[in-house]
């Protein structure tokens, strides 16, 4: 069964959506979403390499270029302790103790997102695949798009996502002795260990962390109806 995709308003993307819907259906675990003039295809992890190979080589699709690849941590997605009414109006207003109640074995906690570009047809496509389980892992697409090499290393470094078949999967942004993965939602703001240069030893050393961990929450000003009455009262007072 194929669900009709709303028109994107772009004939090229509408033609792409039709081609994708014919090849990969919801019955096989695929989901194609059209929103904000963009197409996103969510696919099973087991289908990643076959789908990417076809997207790259099929003459009707021809996504020759991988523009970007990144990890996503959906822990506590849709939940928030941010208070945008009583916190300070600018900058970082307060620290909170956050309990995310993270399910480490949630198969949909981590995802990898791919942004593809077809130079031949001048159209773009976003792919999303969930990594599954307590140890997030998906296949490497380096053999399809060589540009994925450093992108996958970055996702491994920052999220701890493993890429099966990557030729040189190691950290790329953090230090060799870095503990943890800093873009995970449960990574503390102050880190796990303290690092400093020891002139006597002539090298960088790691020490136990002495800073009390906390999470800083920025003030967010939203221009919506919750502030209208407050603004009207101020305007009325100023004109009196």
């Amino acid at each position: 069964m194929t669900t009709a995709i709303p028109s994107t308003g772009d004939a090229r993307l509408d033609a792409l959506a039709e081609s994708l819907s014919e090849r990969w259906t919801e019955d096989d675990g695929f989901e194609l979403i059209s929103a904000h003039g963009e197409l996103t295809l969510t696919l099973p992890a087991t289908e990643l390499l076959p789908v990417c190979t076809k997207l790259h080589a099929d003459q009707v699709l021809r996504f020759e270029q991988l523009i970007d690849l990144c990890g996503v941590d959906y822990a506590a997605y849709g939940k928030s302790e941010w208070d945008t009414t009583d916190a300070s109006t600018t900058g970082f207003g307060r620290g909170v103790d956050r309990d995310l109640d993270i399910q480490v074995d949630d198969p949909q906690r981590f995802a990898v997102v791919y942004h593809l570009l077809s130079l031949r047809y001048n159209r773009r496509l976003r792919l999303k695949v969930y990594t599954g389980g307590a140890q997030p892992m998906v296949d490497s697409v380096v053999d399809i798009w060589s540009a994925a090499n450093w992108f996958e290393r970055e996702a491994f470094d920052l999220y701890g996502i493993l890429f099966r078949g990557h030729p040189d999967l190691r950290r790329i942004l953090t230090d060799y002795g870095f503990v943890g993965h800093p873009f995970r939602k449960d990574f503390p703001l102050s880190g796990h260990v303290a690092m400093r240069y020891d002139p006597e030893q002539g090298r960088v050393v790691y020490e136990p962390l002495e800073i009390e961990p906390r999470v800083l929450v920025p003030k967010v000003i939203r221009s919506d109806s919750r502030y209208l009455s407050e603004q009207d009262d101020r305007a009325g007072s100023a004109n009196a």
Side-chain angles (χ1 to χ4, degrees), residues 190-229:
S190 51
H192 292 291
V193 295
M195 181 180 68
R196 67 176 179 84
Y197 179 77
D198 189 320
E200 294 183 358
Q201 300 184 50
R203 65 181 181 87
V204 171
V205 297
Y206 291 85
E207 299 174 332
L209 188 67
E210 297 180 356
I211 301 174
E212 185 68 24
R214 68 172 186 159
V215 178
L216 292 179
V217 181
K219 170 68 174 182
V220 179
I221 302 296
R222 295 188 175 94
S223 300
D224 58 29
S225 58
R226 81 185 75 179
Y227 300 113
L228 290 181
S229 59

Side-chain angles (χ1 to χ4, degrees), residues 157-205:
D157 192 355
L158 301 180
Y159 291 94
I161 298 172
L162 299 173
F163 292 87
R164 188 185 298 107
H166 190 283
D168 186 24
L169 192 62
R170 55 193 169 94
R171 292 187 182 273
I172 190 171
L173 296 177
T174 61
D175 185 68
Y176 290 110
F178 193 87
V179 178
H181 304 283
F183 275 17
R184 289 191 173 192
K185 295 291 182 64
D186 52 359
F187 187 84
L189 187 66
S190 51
H192 292 291
V193 295
M195 181 180 68
R196 67 176 179 84
Y197 179 77
D198 189 320
E200 294 183 358
Q201 300 184 50
R203 65 181 181 87
V204 171
V205 297

Side-chain angles (χ1 to χ4, degrees), residues 1-236:
M1 181 182 68
T2 303
T3 303
I5 303 298
S7 173
T8 63
D10 185 325
R12 292 171 300 178
L13 287 183
D14 290 343
L16 174 60
E18 183 176 353
S19 296
L20 296 175
S21 298
E22 291 173 353
R23 288 167 171 78
W24 301 295
T25 67
E26 291 184 358
D27 292 341
D28 296 323
F30 294 85
E31 181 183 20
L32 182 63
I33 297 175
S34 171
H36 310 293
E38 300 175 344
L39 291 176
T40 301
L41 178 65
T42 302
L43 61 151
T46 55
E47 297 293 327
L48 178 62
L49 288 183
V51 170
C52 287
T53 299
K54 197 168 188 63
L55 287 171
H56 180 267
D58 193 307
Q59 294 302 310
V60 176
L61 302 171
R62 291 300 294 165
F63 284 96
E64 307 99 330
Q65 190 165 354
L66 174 69
I67 297 296
D68 190 22
L69 180 158
C70 63
V72 183
D73 184 357
Y74 285 103
Y77 180 71
K79 301 178 183 178
S80 177
E81 76 290 312
W82 290 13
D83 188 339
T84 62
T85 302
D86 300 327
S88 69
T89 57
T90 58
F92 288 87
R94 61 194 176 94
V96 299
D97 293 324
R98 181 168 63 179
D99 181 8
L100 292 177
D101 188 26
I102 292 176
Q103 303 297 319
V104 295
D105 58 347
D106 182 356
Q108 292 194 334
R109 174 181 172 181
F110 293 103
V112 180
V113 175
Y114 308 77
H115 291 93
L116 308 179
L117 171 65
S118 170
L119 298 172
R120 174 175 295 185
Y121 300 115
N122 189 23
R123 55 194 186 189
R124 298 173 186 267
L125 175 66
R126 180 186 298 110
L127 299 181
K128 183 169 71 172
V129 56
Y130 290 103
T131 60
Q135 181 58 74
M137 180 183 296
V138 295
D139 290 315
S140 172
V141 296
V142 169
D143 290 339
I144 302 173
W145 297 289
S146 59
N149 192 326
W150 282 15
F151 288 142
E152 291 181 350
R153 285 180 58 188
E154 182 181 45
F156 162 69
D157 192 355
L158 301 180
Y159 291 94
I161 298 172
L162 299 173
F163 292 87
R164 188 185 298 107
H166 190 283
D168 186 24
L169 192 62
R170 55 193 169 94
R171 292 187 182 273
I172 190 171
L173 296 177
T174 61
D175 185 68
Y176 290 110
F178 193 87
V179 178
H181 304 283
F183 275 17
R184 289 191 173 192
K185 295 291 182 64
D186 52 359
F187 187 84
L189 187 66
S190 51
H192 292 291
V193 295
M195 181 180 68
R196 67 176 179 84
Y197 179 77
D198 189 320
E200 294 183 358
Q201 300 184 50
R203 65 181 181 87
V204 171
V205 297
Y206 291 85
E207 299 174 332
L209 188 67
E210 297 180 356
I211 301 174
E212 185 68 24
R214 68 172 186 159
V215 178
L216 292 179
V217 181
K219 170 68 174 182
V220 179
I221 302 296
R222 295 188 175 94
S223 300
D224 58 29
S225 58
R226 81 185 75 179
Y227 300 113
L228 290 181
S229 59
E230 202 174 307
Q231 294 170 355
D232 292 342
D233 291 341
R234 289 202 205 97

